[in-house]
Amino acid sequence: MTQSKDPISGDADRLVLRRPDDWHVHLRDGAMLEAVANYTARQFARAIIMPNLAPPVTTAEAAEAYRARIMAAADEAYDFTPLMTCYLTDTLDAGEVERGFEAGVFTACKLYPANATTNSSHGVTDIANIYPVLEAMQRMGMPLLVHGEVTDKDIDIFDREAVFIERVLTKVVRDFPDLKIVFEHVTTDEAVAFVMASGANIAATITPHHLRINRNAIFEGGLRPHHYCLPVAKREKHRLALRRAATSGSPKFFLGTDTAPHAEAAKESACGCAGIFNAPFALESYAATFEEEGALDKLEAFASEHGPRFYGLPLNSAKVTLKKEEVVVPDHLGPADARLTPFLAGQTLGWKFFGGEA
Ligand code: DOR
Ligand code: ZN
């Protein structure tokens, strides 16, 4: 990474980074896919595409068709590559996962505990049900991506990640010691500690929003549906643990936005959907956090190196530039009939994204 004086104005700094990847994205389908695809494609070379469509992506054939729809929705000039995932269910055949992975269609499998979040009703009710699939994945070196929350109604929502570690993840790691696992969108210091204490085959993604907000943001002066996501933001001490992890330089932590667009009407409702739409200013948001932590020198590794190394994929050779320029996040984005509120709406960020080397 180079941080240098801008050659034109002579005063503003700029960051030139290897083009990053987003290791956790919800791009949806149909009109929503059309509305959101380019926000991700313009910043990221590749993205791990979540399979929680309705119905979920559970076959290589469905994943290939979905990949084609994503490619058609993204502007060709961005040269964007979607990496597809398979949604694990209680009855999924290990053979389908193996064939899909060997054919280069599936990059990873996603574990949603049943009913943990949006479109997860077909998820896994008991981890034992997917042991044959995990066996095959371990053998092939195929990563398991985990939504790490228990779903029991009697467990406090703020404790569901920590309890998942105790009850499920510890068991999976013990029974499949060589399985590559990405603990997605970690939100607690327990999750950070678990990942740090595990072997090199256990990593985690960290979102822009969990680095910037704690749970107070959901209730600031009233109910703030655009700060509601799952796993829900936790106490400040957890946010600080995430900041330390992301900026530590440890190869176990990498960028995954969990951008999860829902139309405003679906968010601002008596039963609002979980999900934060952060794709439009994702890299700017991470840069703000790394700058506040005095760790801009660690941003490129977190955004562009740790992820591909964990997945065993080549690093991108293209570059992107962030210039030290103010940018105001709009209040609304998207088409008039399906408006979206972006993360940090109305706020000013100190870094502006440019595609190639500006
Ligand atoms: O907040 C979330 N939104 N968390 C998830 O796990 C799913 C996602 C979505 O698909 O909307
Ligand atoms: Zn997600």
Side-chain angles (χ1 to χ4, degrees):
M1 185 187 73
T2 52
Q3 186 174 6
S4 60
K5 295 287 180 195
D6 184 293
I8 301 159
S9 66
D11 52 10
D13 284 352
R14 62 178 190 151
L15 291 168
V16 179
L17 310 178
R18 191 185 287 282
R19 193 170 176 215
D21 305 299
D22 186 347
W23 299 97
H24 187 129
V25 176
H26 299 267
L27 287 185
R28 315 300 192 205
D29 211 345
M32 183 65 93
L33 169 63
E34 299 292 328
V36 303
N38 280 327
Y39 291 114
T40 292
R42 73 186 268 273
Q43 294 207 335
F44 300 102
R46 296 168 290 199
I48 284 279
I49 311 297
M50 287 297 128
N52 62 331
L53 303 181
V57 179
T58 54
T59 64
E61 192 187 352
E64 260 188 305
Y66 183 30
R67 179 167 65 186
R69 296 196 295 281
I70 294 168
M71 298 292 282
D75 191 329
E76 226 175 287
Y78 292 133
D79 193 20
F80 173 68
T81 303
L83 303 173
M84 309 311 290
T85 59
C86 179
Y87 181 116
L88 295 176
T89 68
D90 282 343
T91 55
L92 193 76
D93 174 29
E96 182 66 22
V97 171
E98 280 191 67
R99 281 188 297 278
F101 183 69
E102 268 152 21
V105 179
F106 291 139
T107 297
C109 286
K110 178 68 190 274
L111 166 61
Y112 287 106
N115 303 314
T117 186
T118 307
N119 291 340
S120 62
S121 60
H122 300 277
V124 174
T125 58
D126 181 341
I127 193 75
N129 293 335
I130 60 164
Y131 266 35
V133 178
L134 299 185
E135 192 73 57
M137 293 173 68
Q138 175 173 254
R139 180 167 29 80
M140 297 187 296
M142 182 185 196
L144 174 71
L145 316 183
V146 174
H147 183 109
E149 288 190 287
V150 292
T151 55
D152 317 35
K153 298 276 180 285
D154 54 342
I155 304 290
D156 190 283
I157 191 166
F158 294 101
D159 296 335
R160 287 182 189 172
E161 185 172 280
V163 174
F164 182 88
I165 297 170
E166 280 167 38
R167 289 192 188 168
V168 185
L169 200 51
T170 306
K171 214 163 76 178
V172 174
V173 171
R174 184 196 63 209
D175 294 345
F176 299 95
D178 296 324
L179 181 63
K180 279 189 182 184
I181 299 177
V182 184
F183 197 163
E184 299 288 340
H185 42 54
V186 287
T187 62
T188 57
D189 60 358
E190 289 91 341
V192 167
F194 178 84
V195 171
M196 288 300 289
S198 302
N201 56 319
I202 313 293
T205 51
I206 306 182
T207 74
H209 45 281
H210 291 112
L211 290 168
R212 295 204 74 71
I213 62 169
N214 63 29
R215 63 189 193 176
N216 287 342
I218 307 165
F219 307 102
E220 202 182 318
L223 195 55
R224 303 284 184 166
H226 298 291
H227 284 155
Y228 172 56
C229 65
L230 290 169
V232 71
K234 309 294 192 296
R235 287 178 182 276
E236 179 64 359
K237 71 166 184 176
H238 296 292
R239 187 181 75 102
L240 297 179
L242 300 177
R243 285 187 156 225
R244 283 192 299 274
T247 60
S248 67
S250 163
K252 288 170 153 287
F253 299 98
F254 45 84
L255 187 158
T257 65
D258 197 15
T259 186
H262 292 278
E264 284 173 357
K267 294 281 301 169
E268 299 164 7
S269 121
C271 186
C273 293
I276 292 182
F277 177 47
N278 58 33
F281 296 89
L283 203 55
E284 297 90 325
S285 175
Y286 282 116
T289 297
F290 276 67
E291 184 171 40
E292 287 157 11
E293 294 295 318
L296 275 174
D297 61 324
K298 303 283 197 329
L299 178 62
E300 182 176 46
F302 174 80
S304 317
E305 295 173 0
H306 297 164
R309 287 201 181 113
F310 183 83
Y311 275 83
L313 293 169
L315 304 188
N316 299 313
S317 50
K319 305 276 185 197
V320 296
T321 298
L322 286 165
K323 278 197 189 181
K324 199 145 187 44
E325 239 175 79
E326 290 201 338
V327 53
V328 179
V329 179
D331 289 336
H332 309 281
L333 287 169
D337 57 342
R339 288 201 319 176
L340 297 161
T341 297
F343 181 51
L344 304 175
Q347 293 191 34
T348 302
L349 291 165
W351 292 95
K352 189 166 179 187
F353 176 85
F354 292 86
E357 265 186 78

